[in-house]
Amino acid sequence: MKKVYYLSTCDTCKRILQEVELASDFVKQDVKKEALTEVQLEELYALSQSYESLFNKRAKRYKEQDLKNKSLSEADYKNLLLEHYTFLKRPVFVIEDHIFIGNSKKTVEALKKQLNS
Protein backbone atom coordinates (compact mmCIF):
# COMPACT_ATOMS: atom_id res chain seq x y z
CA MET A 1 0.00 0.00 0.00
CA LYS A 2 1.15 3.50 -0.82
CA LYS A 3 -0.94 6.16 0.85
CA VAL A 4 -0.72 9.62 2.31
CA TYR A 5 -3.08 11.15 4.84
CA TYR A 6 -2.91 14.92 4.64
CA LEU A 7 -4.87 18.16 4.89
CA SER A 8 -5.34 20.02 1.61
CA THR A 9 -5.62 23.37 3.43
CA CYS A 10 -2.30 22.87 5.24
CA ASP A 11 0.58 24.76 3.62
CA THR A 12 3.15 22.43 5.18
CA CYS A 13 1.37 19.35 3.76
CA LYS A 14 1.19 20.99 0.33
CA ARG A 15 4.89 21.89 0.44
CA ILE A 16 5.93 18.36 1.41
CA LEU A 17 3.69 16.77 -1.24
CA GLN A 18 5.31 18.98 -3.89
CA GLU A 19 8.79 18.35 -2.52
CA VAL A 20 8.56 14.54 -2.62
CA GLU A 21 6.77 14.28 -6.00
CA LEU A 22 4.65 11.20 -5.34
CA ALA A 23 4.18 8.54 -7.97
CA SER A 24 0.72 8.16 -9.50
CA ASP A 25 0.12 4.90 -7.62
CA PHE A 26 -0.08 6.80 -4.30
CA VAL A 27 -3.54 7.13 -2.78
CA LYS A 28 -4.12 10.57 -1.26
CA GLN A 29 -6.66 11.05 1.49
CA ASP A 30 -7.59 14.54 2.62
CA VAL A 31 -8.59 13.84 6.23
CA LYS A 32 -10.86 16.88 6.33
CA LYS A 33 -12.94 15.71 3.35
CA GLU A 34 -12.69 11.99 4.10
CA ALA A 35 -12.39 11.31 7.82
CA LEU A 36 -10.01 8.70 9.12
CA THR A 37 -11.92 5.47 9.83
CA GLU A 38 -11.30 3.28 12.84
CA VAL A 39 -9.95 0.55 10.53
CA GLN A 40 -7.50 3.03 8.93
CA LEU A 41 -6.44 4.29 12.34
CA GLU A 42 -5.81 0.73 13.50
CA GLU A 43 -3.70 0.12 10.36
CA LEU A 44 -1.62 3.20 11.23
CA TYR A 45 -1.35 2.00 14.82
CA ALA A 46 -0.11 -1.42 13.65
CA LEU A 47 2.78 0.34 11.88
CA SER A 48 3.54 3.00 14.51
CA GLN A 49 2.69 0.98 17.64
CA SER A 50 1.41 4.18 19.28
CA TYR A 51 -1.66 6.36 18.97
CA GLU A 52 0.26 9.10 20.74
CA SER A 53 2.88 9.15 17.95
CA LEU A 54 0.05 9.88 15.48
CA PHE A 55 -1.34 12.67 17.66
CA ASN A 56 -0.78 16.35 16.89
CA LYS A 57 -0.06 18.17 20.15
CA ARG A 58 0.11 21.48 18.27
CA ALA A 59 -3.56 21.29 17.25
CA LYS A 60 -5.69 24.26 18.24
CA ARG A 61 -8.22 21.91 19.84
CA TYR A 62 -5.45 20.36 21.96
CA LYS A 63 -4.85 23.75 23.54
CA GLU A 64 -8.55 24.68 23.69
CA GLN A 65 -9.44 21.47 25.52
CA ASP A 66 -6.40 21.90 27.82
CA LEU A 67 -5.33 18.34 27.03
CA LYS A 68 -1.68 18.95 27.92
CA ASN A 69 -2.74 19.09 31.58
CA LYS A 70 -4.58 15.79 31.38
CA SER A 71 -3.07 12.35 31.63
CA LEU A 72 -4.09 10.75 28.34
CA SER A 73 -4.03 7.01 27.71
CA GLU A 74 -3.55 5.33 24.34
CA ALA A 75 -7.35 4.81 24.27
CA ASP A 76 -7.84 8.55 24.82
CA TYR A 77 -5.50 9.37 21.94
CA LYS A 78 -7.34 6.89 19.71
CA ASN A 79 -10.74 8.40 20.55
CA LEU A 80 -9.49 11.95 19.99
CA LEU A 81 -7.96 10.97 16.63
CA LEU A 82 -11.32 9.56 15.57
CA GLU A 83 -13.18 12.57 16.97
CA HIS A 84 -11.53 15.29 14.86
CA TYR A 85 -9.15 15.37 11.89
CA THR A 86 -6.97 18.14 13.35
CA PHE A 87 -5.65 15.73 15.98
CA LEU A 88 -3.77 13.70 13.33
CA LYS A 89 -0.13 14.67 13.03
CA ARG A 90 0.25 15.40 9.34
CA PRO A 91 1.14 14.31 6.82
CA VAL A 92 1.24 10.55 7.38
CA PHE A 93 2.82 8.51 4.59
CA VAL A 94 2.44 4.74 4.44
CA ILE A 95 4.68 2.84 2.04
CA GLU A 96 4.07 -0.89 2.38
CA ASP A 97 5.19 -1.64 5.97
CA HIS A 98 6.87 1.74 6.59
CA ILE A 99 5.20 4.75 8.17
CA PHE A 100 6.36 8.37 8.17
CA ILE A 101 4.51 10.65 10.59
CA GLY A 102 4.62 14.42 10.64
CA ASN A 103 6.66 17.12 8.98
CA SER A 104 10.01 17.17 10.75
CA LYS A 105 13.06 17.50 8.50
CA LYS A 106 14.30 14.11 9.68
CA THR A 107 10.97 12.44 8.77
CA VAL A 108 10.80 14.08 5.33
CA GLU A 109 14.41 13.06 4.59
CA ALA A 110 13.68 9.45 5.63
CA LEU A 111 10.58 9.50 3.43
CA LYS A 112 12.56 10.76 0.43
CA LYS A 113 15.16 8.06 0.99
CA GLN A 114 12.44 5.39 1.07
CA LEU A 115 10.79 6.77 -2.09
CA ASN A 116 14.09 6.74 -3.97
CA SER A 117 15.11 3.24 -2.95
Side-chain angles (χ1 to χ4, degrees):
M1 173 170 71
K2 291 182 178 180
K3 188 161 189 173
V4 59
Y5 299 90
Y6 74 107
L7 188 57
S8 62
T9 55
C10 169
D11 289 336
T12 303
C13 287
K14 287 191 261 189
R15 177 185 53 78
I16 292 170
L17 286 171
Q18 279 185 323
E19 198 176 310
V20 297
E21 298 176 28
L22 297 178
S24 59
D25 60 344
F26 254 87
V27 176
K28 295 180 185 174
Q29 182 172 332
D30 183 343
V31 293
K32 185 175 183 178
K33 293 178 183 165
E34 187 184 340
L36 202 59
T37 66
E38 189 163 359
V39 170
Q40 289 173 325
L41 185 57
E42 287 171 5
E43 289 169 354
L44 296 178
Y45 176 82
L47 293 171
S48 68
Q49 294 298 301
S50 165
Y51 290 112
E52 185 177 4
S53 70
L54 295 163
F55 193 83
N56 179 8
K57 293 183 178 175
R58 292 182 181 176
K60 192 175 176 185
R61 286 178 175 258
Y62 182 76
K63 293 175 180 97
E64 288 171 354
Q65 295 179 19
D66 197 32
L67 296 174
K68 71 175 178 183
N69 293 317
K70 295 183 176 141
S71 182
L72 299 173
S73 67
E74 280 289 290
D76 293 327
Y77 285 117
K78 178 182 179 183
N79 291 331
L80 288 164
L81 284 161
L82 290 170
E83 177 187 301
H84 203 270
Y85 68 89
T86 57
F87 286 128
L88 181 67
K89 189 184 283 185
R90 320 171 287 276
V92 177
F93 289 86
V94 176
I95 304 170
E96 305 311 331
D97 59 348
H98 299 281
I99 189 166
F100 302 89
I101 305 165
N103 56 36
S104 74
K105 252 191 169 128
K106 185 177 171 187
T107 300
V108 175
E109 289 307 313
L111 170 64
K112 285 179 181 177
K113 201 171 181 181
Q114 179 69 32
L115 288 169
N116 293 326
S117 65

Tab-separated table of all heavy atoms in Angstrom, residues 30-66:
chain	number	residue	atom	x	y	z
A	30	ASP	N	-7.461	13.284	1.886
A	30	ASP	CA	-7.595	14.541	2.617
A	30	ASP	C	-8.465	14.243	3.833
A	30	ASP	O	-9.657	13.982	3.701
A	30	ASP	CB	-8.244	15.596	1.723
A	30	ASP	CG	-8.358	16.960	2.384
A	30	ASP	OD1	-8.236	17.045	3.624
A	30	ASP	OD2	-8.596	17.948	1.665
A	31	VAL	N	-7.873	14.264	5.023
A	31	VAL	CA	-8.585	13.841	6.232
A	31	VAL	C	-9.725	14.777	6.631
A	31	VAL	O	-10.568	14.405	7.435
A	31	VAL	CB	-7.625	13.616	7.420
A	31	VAL	CG1	-6.715	12.421	7.143
A	31	VAL	CG2	-6.821	14.855	7.741
A	32	LYS	N	-9.744	15.973	6.058
A	32	LYS	CA	-10.863	16.879	6.331
A	32	LYS	C	-12.078	16.483	5.495
A	32	LYS	O	-13.209	16.508	5.969
A	32	LYS	CB	-10.469	18.327	6.035
A	32	LYS	CG	-11.548	19.323	6.416
A	32	LYS	CD	-11.060	20.741	6.214
A	32	LYS	CE	-12.112	21.746	6.672
A	32	LYS	NZ	-11.625	23.119	6.513
A	33	LYS	N	-11.842	16.085	4.257
A	33	LYS	CA	-12.936	15.708	3.352
A	33	LYS	C	-13.374	14.263	3.556
A	33	LYS	O	-14.526	13.914	3.367
A	33	LYS	CB	-12.510	15.915	1.896
A	33	LYS	CG	-12.311	17.369	1.539
A	33	LYS	CD	-11.839	17.524	0.113
A	33	LYS	CE	-11.586	18.984	-0.204
A	33	LYS	NZ	-10.809	19.155	-1.422
A	34	GLU	N	-12.414	13.417	3.892
A	34	GLU	CA	-12.692	11.991	4.101
A	34	GLU	C	-12.055	11.582	5.428
A	34	GLU	O	-10.862	11.319	5.503
A	34	GLU	CB	-12.093	11.175	2.948
A	34	GLU	CG	-12.446	9.732	2.960
A	34	GLU	CD	-11.749	8.943	1.857
A	34	GLU	OE1	-11.305	9.542	0.870
A	34	GLU	OE2	-11.645	7.718	2.012
A	35	ALA	N	-12.887	11.566	6.454
A	35	ALA	CA	-12.393	11.311	7.817
A	35	ALA	C	-11.693	9.957	7.920
A	35	ALA	O	-12.027	9.006	7.211
A	35	ALA	CB	-13.539	11.377	8.807
A	36	LEU	N	-10.735	9.919	8.817
A	36	LEU	CA	-10.015	8.695	9.124
A	36	LEU	C	-10.996	7.706	9.753
A	36	LEU	O	-11.727	8.059	10.674
A	36	LEU	CB	-8.915	9.047	10.136
A	36	LEU	CG	-7.708	8.173	10.289
A	36	LEU	CD1	-6.957	8.050	8.968
A	36	LEU	CD2	-6.780	8.749	11.337
A	37	THR	N	-11.029	6.487	9.249
A	37	THR	CA	-11.918	5.475	9.830
A	37	THR	C	-11.187	4.743	10.955
A	37	THR	O	-9.945	4.805	11.045
A	37	THR	CB	-12.358	4.438	8.778
A	37	THR	OG1	-11.198	3.697	8.368
A	37	THR	CG2	-13.025	5.100	7.587
A	38	GLU	N	-11.931	4.040	11.752
A	38	GLU	CA	-11.302	3.277	12.837
A	38	GLU	C	-10.377	2.201	12.268
A	38	GLU	O	-9.284	1.975	12.792
A	38	GLU	CB	-12.373	2.649	13.734
A	38	GLU	CG	-11.777	2.038	14.986
A	38	GLU	CD	-12.786	1.759	16.089
A	38	GLU	OE1	-13.983	2.053	15.913
A	38	GLU	OE2	-12.351	1.250	17.126
A	39	VAL	N	-10.786	1.579	11.173
A	39	VAL	CA	-9.952	0.552	10.528
A	39	VAL	C	-8.637	1.174	10.039
A	39	VAL	O	-7.556	0.615	10.260
A	39	VAL	CB	-10.709	-0.127	9.355
A	39	VAL	CG1	-9.785	-1.007	8.530
A	39	VAL	CG2	-11.887	-0.924	9.886
A	40	GLN	N	-8.718	2.346	9.397
A	40	GLN	CA	-7.501	3.026	8.930
A	40	GLN	C	-6.608	3.397	10.105
A	40	GLN	O	-5.390	3.223	10.039
A	40	GLN	CB	-7.869	4.278	8.142
A	40	GLN	CG	-8.483	3.985	6.796
A	40	GLN	CD	-9.003	5.235	6.116
A	40	GLN	OE1	-9.501	6.158	6.754
A	40	GLN	NE2	-8.893	5.270	4.796
A	41	LEU	N	-7.219	3.911	11.168
A	41	LEU	CA	-6.438	4.291	12.341
A	41	LEU	C	-5.739	3.078	12.941
A	41	LEU	O	-4.576	3.149	13.330
A	41	LEU	CB	-7.325	4.983	13.376
A	41	LEU	CG	-6.615	5.530	14.604
A	41	LEU	CD1	-5.512	6.514	14.221
A	41	LEU	CD2	-7.609	6.206	15.541
A	42	GLU	N	-6.427	1.948	12.967
A	42	GLU	CA	-5.811	0.726	13.499
A	42	GLU	C	-4.665	0.243	12.602
A	42	GLU	O	-3.671	-0.282	13.096
A	42	GLU	CB	-6.870	-0.359	13.707
A	42	GLU	CG	-7.741	-0.038	14.914
A	42	GLU	CD	-8.957	-0.934	15.065
A	42	GLU	OE1	-9.114	-1.905	14.285
A	42	GLU	OE2	-9.760	-0.647	15.972
A	43	GLU	N	-4.794	0.451	11.285
A	43	GLU	CA	-3.696	0.115	10.365
A	43	GLU	C	-2.482	0.999	10.660
A	43	GLU	O	-1.344	0.515	10.656
A	43	GLU	CB	-4.132	0.296	8.912
A	43	GLU	CG	-5.119	-0.746	8.433
A	43	GLU	CD	-5.747	-0.411	7.076
A	43	GLU	OE1	-5.505	0.698	6.539
A	43	GLU	OE2	-6.495	-1.269	6.568
A	44	LEU	N	-2.716	2.287	10.899
A	44	LEU	CA	-1.619	3.200	11.230
A	44	LEU	C	-0.997	2.816	12.568
A	44	LEU	O	0.222	2.847	12.724
A	44	LEU	CB	-2.120	4.646	11.272
A	44	LEU	CG	-2.629	5.225	9.952
A	44	LEU	CD1	-3.150	6.644	10.148
A	44	LEU	CD2	-1.561	5.186	8.880
A	45	TYR	N	-1.835	2.427	13.502
A	45	TYR	CA	-1.346	1.997	14.818
A	45	TYR	C	-0.470	0.746	14.692
A	45	TYR	O	0.574	0.646	15.336
A	45	TYR	CB	-2.517	1.729	15.775
A	45	TYR	CG	-2.072	1.201	17.111
A	45	TYR	CD1	-1.617	2.077	18.091
A	45	TYR	CD2	-2.071	-0.159	17.393
A	45	TYR	CE1	-1.182	1.597	19.323
A	45	TYR	CE2	-1.649	-0.644	18.615
A	45	TYR	CZ	-1.204	0.237	19.574
A	45	TYR	OH	-0.770	-0.232	20.792
A	46	ALA	N	-0.884	-0.180	13.839
A	46	ALA	CA	-0.113	-1.420	13.651
A	46	ALA	C	1.304	-1.111	13.178
A	46	ALA	O	2.259	-1.798	13.559
A	46	ALA	CB	-0.826	-2.334	12.653
A	47	LEU	N	1.455	-0.047	12.381
A	47	LEU	CA	2.780	0.337	11.879
A	47	LEU	C	3.553	1.192	12.883
A	47	LEU	O	4.770	1.083	12.991
A	47	LEU	CB	2.642	1.099	10.559
A	47	LEU	CG	2.115	0.291	9.378
A	47	LEU	CD1	1.820	1.203	8.207
A	47	LEU	CD2	3.108	-0.797	8.991
A	48	SER	N	2.854	2.061	13.599
A	48	SER	CA	3.535	3.001	14.507
A	48	SER	C	3.640	2.479	15.938
A	48	SER	O	4.488	2.938	16.696
A	48	SER	CB	2.797	4.340	14.530
A	48	SER	OG	1.527	4.193	15.147
A	49	GLN	N	2.766	1.550	16.296
A	49	GLN	CA	2.688	0.983	17.636
A	49	GLN	C	2.335	2.008	18.719
A	49	GLN	O	2.602	1.795	19.896
A	49	GLN	CB	4.004	0.255	18.006
A	49	GLN	CG	4.274	-0.961	17.164
A	49	GLN	CD	3.199	-2.019	17.334
A	49	GLN	OE1	2.967	-2.508	18.426
A	49	GLN	NE2	2.509	-2.357	16.253
A	50	SER	N	1.754	3.149	18.304
A	50	SER	CA	1.411	4.180	19.283
A	50	SER	C	0.409	5.167	18.696
A	50	SER	O	0.664	5.753	17.649
A	50	SER	CB	2.688	4.925	19.703
A	50	SER	OG	2.370	6.127	20.356
A	51	TYR	N	-0.719	5.326	19.391
A	51	TYR	CA	-1.663	6.362	18.968
A	51	TYR	C	-1.090	7.743	19.285
A	51	TYR	O	-1.311	8.688	18.556
A	51	TYR	CB	-3.020	6.188	19.654
A	51	TYR	CG	-3.777	4.983	19.170
A	51	TYR	CD1	-4.007	3.897	19.998
A	51	TYR	CD2	-4.264	4.927	17.867
A	51	TYR	CE1	-4.700	2.787	19.543
A	51	TYR	CE2	-4.950	3.814	17.402
A	51	TYR	CZ	-5.169	2.745	18.248
A	51	TYR	OH	-5.845	1.649	17.788
A	52	GLU	N	-0.328	7.815	20.360
A	52	GLU	CA	0.264	9.103	20.744
A	52	GLU	C	1.206	9.616	19.661
A	52	GLU	O	1.264	10.812	19.386
A	52	GLU	CB	0.996	8.996	22.083
A	52	GLU	CG	1.518	10.321	22.577
A	52	GLU	CD	2.179	10.262	23.946
A	52	GLU	OE1	2.320	9.157	24.516
A	52	GLU	OE2	2.559	11.333	24.454
A	53	SER	N	1.944	8.723	19.004
A	53	SER	CA	2.880	9.150	17.951
A	53	SER	C	2.139	9.734	16.745
A	53	SER	O	2.705	10.496	15.978
A	53	SER	CB	3.769	7.994	17.515
A	53	SER	OG	3.025	7.031	16.794
A	54	LEU	N	0.870	9.375	16.590
A	54	LEU	CA	0.049	9.876	15.483
A	54	LEU	C	-0.669	11.174	15.851
A	54	LEU	O	-1.304	11.790	15.020
A	54	LEU	CB	-1.007	8.826	15.104
A	54	LEU	CG	-0.474	7.525	14.534
A	54	LEU	CD1	-1.535	6.435	14.598
A	54	LEU	CD2	0.001	7.729	13.112
A	55	PHE	N	-0.546	11.566	17.120
A	55	PHE	CA	-1.340	12.669	17.660
A	55	PHE	C	-0.612	14.009	17.548
A	55	PHE	O	0.555	14.123	17.903
A	55	PHE	CB	-1.665	12.376	19.128
A	55	PHE	CG	-2.724	13.255	19.702
A	55	PHE	CD1	-4.056	12.962	19.510
A	55	PHE	CD2	-2.390	14.372	20.432
A	55	PHE	CE1	-5.043	13.772	20.037
A	55	PHE	CE2	-3.367	15.199	20.962
A	55	PHE	CZ	-4.695	14.895	20.760
A	56	ASN	N	-1.336	15.007	17.072
A	56	ASN	CA	-0.782	16.352	16.893
A	56	ASN	C	-1.008	17.193	18.151
A	56	ASN	O	-2.112	17.655	18.398
A	56	ASN	CB	-1.456	17.007	15.685
A	56	ASN	CG	-0.973	18.405	15.424
A	56	ASN	OD1	-0.026	18.887	16.041
A	56	ASN	ND2	-1.630	19.081	14.505
A	57	LYS	N	0.051	17.391	18.911
A	57	LYS	CA	-0.057	18.174	20.148
A	57	LYS	C	0.020	19.674	19.891
A	57	LYS	O	-0.044	20.459	20.822
A	57	LYS	CB	1.013	17.735	21.146
A	57	LYS	CG	0.767	16.317	21.628
A	57	LYS	CD	1.750	15.880	22.659
A	57	LYS	CE	1.412	14.469	23.116
A	57	LYS	NZ	2.397	13.927	24.033
A	58	ARG	N	0.123	20.055	18.622
A	58	ARG	CA	0.111	21.477	18.266
A	58	ARG	C	-1.270	21.923	17.794
A	58	ARG	O	-1.470	23.084	17.453
A	58	ARG	CB	1.122	21.756	17.157
A	58	ARG	CG	2.557	21.583	17.604
A	58	ARG	CD	3.470	21.930	16.470
A	58	ARG	NE	4.855	21.761	16.848
A	58	ARG	CZ	5.859	21.927	16.030
A	58	ARG	NH1	5.628	22.254	14.771
A	58	ARG	NH2	7.090	21.761	16.439
A	59	ALA	N	-2.201	20.986	17.734
A	59	ALA	CA	-3.558	21.294	17.251
A	59	ALA	C	-4.223	22.333	18.148
A	59	ALA	O	-4.058	22.318	19.364
A	59	ALA	CB	-4.401	20.025	17.213
A	60	LYS	N	-4.961	23.205	17.522
A	60	LYS	CA	-5.685	24.258	18.239
A	60	LYS	C	-6.624	23.646	19.290
A	60	LYS	O	-6.695	24.122	20.423
A	60	LYS	CB	-6.480	25.083	17.221
A	60	LYS	CG	-7.059	26.361	17.746
A	60	LYS	CD	-7.717	27.117	16.589
A	60	LYS	CE	-8.397	28.368	17.096
A	60	LYS	NZ	-9.137	29.028	16.017
A	61	ARG	N	-7.300	22.580	18.915
A	61	ARG	CA	-8.220	21.909	19.844
A	61	ARG	C	-7.491	21.316	21.040
A	61	ARG	O	-8.065	21.207	22.121
A	61	ARG	CB	-8.999	20.807	19.129
A	61	ARG	CG	-10.056	21.343	18.214
A	61	ARG	CD	-10.767	20.198	17.493
A	61	ARG	NE	-11.849	20.722	16.703
A	61	ARG	CZ	-13.123	20.666	17.064
A	61	ARG	NH1	-13.451	20.104	18.189
A	61	ARG	NH2	-14.048	21.169	16.289
A	62	TYR	N	-6.257	20.902	20.862
A	62	TYR	CA	-5.454	20.360	21.959
A	62	TYR	C	-5.299	21.426	23.035
A	62	TYR	O	-5.459	21.160	24.224
A	62	TYR	CB	-4.090	19.906	21.429
A	62	TYR	CG	-3.177	19.282	22.457
A	62	TYR	CD1	-3.401	17.990	22.902
A	62	TYR	CD2	-2.080	19.971	22.959
A	62	TYR	CE1	-2.569	17.389	23.828
A	62	TYR	CE2	-1.235	19.388	23.884
A	62	TYR	CZ	-1.483	18.100	24.319
A	62	TYR	OH	-0.643	17.520	25.241
A	63	LYS	N	-5.010	22.646	22.610
A	63	LYS	CA	-4.854	23.752	23.543
A	63	LYS	C	-6.207	24.165	24.123
A	63	LYS	O	-6.336	24.397	25.317
A	63	LYS	CB	-4.177	24.933	22.851
A	63	LYS	CG	-2.737	24.642	22.467
A	63	LYS	CD	-2.108	25.780	21.673
A	63	LYS	CE	-0.695	25.441	21.308
A	63	LYS	NZ	-0.556	24.910	19.959
A	64	GLU	N	-7.220	24.260	23.253
A	64	GLU	CA	-8.555	24.682	23.689
A	64	GLU	C	-9.150	23.740	24.734
A	64	GLU	O	-9.812	24.189	25.672
A	64	GLU	CB	-9.520	24.758	22.494
A	64	GLU	CG	-9.256	25.912	21.565
A	64	GLU	CD	-10.084	25.854	20.281
A	64	GLU	OE1	-10.788	24.853	20.042
A	64	GLU	OE2	-10.004	26.826	19.521
A	65	GLN	N	-8.899	22.455	24.580
A	65	GLN	CA	-9.436	21.467	25.521
A	65	GLN	C	-8.491	21.224	26.702
A	65	GLN	O	-8.755	20.354	27.528
A	65	GLN	CB	-9.737	20.159	24.797
A	65	GLN	CG	-10.839	20.286	23.772
A	65	GLN	CD	-11.107	18.978	23.032
A	65	GLN	OE1	-10.743	17.890	23.485
A	65	GLN	NE2	-11.733	19.072	21.877
A	66	ASP	N	-7.387	22.001	26.738
A	66	ASP	CA	-6.403	21.900	27.824
A	66	ASP	C	-5.937	20.455	28.046
A	66	ASP	O	-5.796	19.998	29.173
A	66	ASP	CB	-6.982	22.500	29.116
A	66	ASP	CG	-5.893	22.793	30.143
A	66	ASP	OD1	-4.763	23.128	29.734
A	66	ASP	OD2	-6.158	22.674	31.357
